[in-house]
Amino acid sequence: MIVMEGGGGPNATTKAARSDTMLSPRFYTTDFAAMDRLNVDLVRSEWNTMIGELRADYNKAHFRRADPFDFDLNKLPEELRAEFVDFLVSSLTAEFSGCVLYAEIKKQIKNPDIQELFGYMSRDESRHAGFINEALKEIGIGVDLSFLTRIKKYTYFKPKFIFYATYLSEKIGYARYIAIYRQLERHPERLFHPIFRWFERWCNDEFRHGEAFALLMRADPSLLAGRNKLWIKFFLLAVFATMYVRDHMRPAFHKAIGLDPTDYDFKVFRITSEISQQVFPLVLDLDHPAFRSGLDRLWRIAEASAAEKSRGGIMSRIKRVRLGIAGAATFARLLLLPAKRNVLPHRVTLAPAW
Ligand SMILES: [Fe+2]
Ligand SMILES: [Fe+2]
């Protein structure tokens, strides 16, 4: 079903999903010929186990729903309403971005290992995106996904950058969903939408996708050595900082589920850092005092920039350029903080333990 406004243009949630700001989830394209040349022989036995799990499709029935959700958006306080919709739309865009990229990789290549993997992962992401979109459609604000694939800008990333970024977003996706699920399991009175009940088994899909990217990277050790270590540090910081800023811009949502955004984000960073030791030769020092204060500064800068944007006018534009420079300098300082070295374990694959 295509959800349109009366005038025939895309509706507000589709426009929100389409936006290409620093903080919004992006769509990606890559070098398909290089993807076709990947060889996973170095991690063959773990690969076969991982593919076996994806083939078994444990969540096949999990995203099927007979009845609509019992939920009335208008019963939520106004701020929470906006932030919850923003949470759903950005989650949907991230899920759908994975779906589009994985499906395109599957379509463009012939390598049977890689093709099978990306087929299963796009299957899962398509279910996830569809499930969120159904929830949005039920409250009259579904996103037009086919419109989105045509109109959204695609960012080109070499395969190694796809691996660093997507590995992190899969593992962070896992950590975010499980942290919210566990919180609402402890505080069922805070469960204001039934969709959160789906998060436990859902996050296991994301966990497995992360495992697949870990194996792809461990299959080519050059991706985890030399200058690439700097890229890994860059991606860790970029992904963590984006999440921190975004989450802090949703105070009402976090208050409703009873989580302080800083505590929640650091919990997600810790889970992700611990997991990422399966593949990354370094982890960020989350306890360095300048790390937290740098992230806070990035958030304040992003907030000030958003306020200037809504004000409009030439002076606001100049101020936003200045804020952009301050943001870049803050990010660069964070990047210069020392990271902790990590010796890779013998085995790559993990069992979810959170
Ligand atoms: Fe997903
Ligand atoms: Fe995923």
Side-chain angles (χ1 to χ4, degrees):
M1 187 180 97
I2 293 177
V3 182
M4 293 291 204
E5 275 176 348
N11 66 0
T13 34
T14 305
K15 280 186 198 151
R18 175 204 174 164
S19 82
D20 286 299
T21 65
M22 278 288 286
L23 298 174
S24 53
R26 287 161 187 272
F27 276 23
Y28 296 98
T29 182
T30 190
D31 177 349
F32 298 110
M35 285 279 183
D36 214 5
R37 288 193 297 271
L38 294 172
N39 182 332
V40 295
D41 285 346
L42 213 54
V43 290
R44 179 58 69 186
S45 97
E46 286 178 274
W47 179 272
N48 289 344
T49 310
M50 178 269 302
I51 283 288
E53 283 187 16
L54 286 167
R55 205 178 282 147
D57 199 3
Y58 302 130
N59 274 344
K60 191 171 184 173
H62 184 57
F63 296 96
R64 291 193 199 133
R65 215 157 34 93
D67 303 310
F69 282 135
D70 177 20
F71 173 71
D72 181 358
L73 186 65
N74 294 319
K75 284 196 178 145
L76 296 185
E78 199 178 322
E79 261 189 17
L80 175 57
R81 207 183 305 158
E83 289 180 20
F84 180 53
V85 169
D86 179 56
F87 170 81
L88 288 179
V89 171
S90 78
S91 303
L92 165 62
T93 315
E95 297 282 9
F96 191 57
S97 157
C99 170
V100 169
L101 173 68
Y102 301 162
E104 196 58 24
I105 293 173
K106 184 199 170 198
K107 199 169 110 189
Q108 299 282 344
I109 65 170
K110 294 201 170 62
N111 180 327
D113 287 322
I114 310 301
Q115 202 173 40
E116 188 177 12
L117 169 68
F118 282 94
Y120 294 141
M121 291 201 298
S122 78
R123 167 200 74 194
D124 293 345
E125 304 301 15
S126 148
R127 279 180 196 151
H128 301 166
F131 193 74
I132 301 175
N133 212 15
E134 275 308 310
L136 286 169
K137 283 176 193 170
E138 282 171 14
I139 47 177
I141 52 172
V143 171
D144 178 355
L145 295 177
S146 67
F147 176 77
L148 208 58
T149 46
R150 277 180 279 120
I151 213 72
K152 193 140 164 112
K153 259 193 270 165
Y154 287 74
T155 304
Y156 173 86
F157 265 4
K158 278 186 190 177
K160 70 174 176 184
F161 298 138
I162 293 279
F163 295 165
Y164 306 145
T166 317
Y167 168 72
L168 279 170
S169 82
E170 295 287 1
K171 290 300 190 188
I172 282 186
Y174 163 77
R176 289 171 69 77
Y177 286 160
I178 198 64
I180 291 178
Y181 182 85
R182 297 277 175 245
Q183 165 70 5
L184 295 172
E185 194 177 36
R186 282 189 299 269
H187 298 281
E189 75 284 0
R190 292 187 176 275
L191 191 130
F192 68 86
H193 191 290
I195 198 165
F196 299 117
R197 286 210 306 267
W198 266 257
F199 278 19
E200 188 182 31
R201 286 180 60 186
W202 185 329
C203 75
N204 291 331
D205 284 347
E206 312 304 3
F207 191 91
R208 272 189 286 273
H209 301 166
E211 293 297 277
F213 283 106
L215 286 168
L216 283 172
M217 287 187 276
R218 290 284 296 257
D220 178 358
S222 74
L223 298 180
L224 307 169
R227 230 181 6 175
N228 284 329
K229 286 197 225 170
L230 282 176
W231 282 116
I232 289 169
K233 194 177 177 192
F234 171 86
F235 276 93
L236 275 165
L237 185 61
V239 170
F240 284 5
T242 307
M243 169 178 154
Y244 194 86
V245 170
R246 256 201 103 95
D247 282 348
H248 281 78
M249 291 168 106
R250 292 190 195 122
F253 172 74
H254 291 94
K255 201 172 161 207
I257 55 175
L259 287 171
D260 171 78
T262 303
D263 292 346
Y264 167 61
D265 281 17
F266 272 83
K267 187 180 177 63
V268 170
F269 295 162
R270 282 185 211 289
I271 295 175
T272 310
S273 287
E274 200 180 320
I275 295 173
S276 74
Q277 292 178 36
Q278 68 179 167
V279 63
F280 285 162
L282 57 99
V283 287
L284 299 183
D285 184 359
L286 303 175
D287 298 312
H288 196 296
F291 179 68
R292 188 173 296 216
S293 61
L295 291 183
D296 277 329
R297 192 169 150 68
L298 281 178
W299 157 39
R300 301 289 177 197
I301 290 170
E303 227 175 23
S305 180
E308 291 300 337
K309 193 177 180 184
S310 57
R311 210 165 286 148
I314 184 77
M315 283 313 287
S316 282
R317 239 190 234 180
I318 295 168
K319 280 187 192 158
R320 282 179 65 211
V321 171
R322 275 202 210 127
L323 287 165
I325 295 167
T330 307
F331 187 85
R333 272 198 299 276
L334 280 166
L335 203 53
L336 290 173
L337 292 177
K340 293 181 179 170
R341 273 189 54 196
N342 171 45
V343 180
L344 296 188
H346 182 61
R347 278 186 67 80
V348 186
T349 45
L350 299 166
W354 289 268

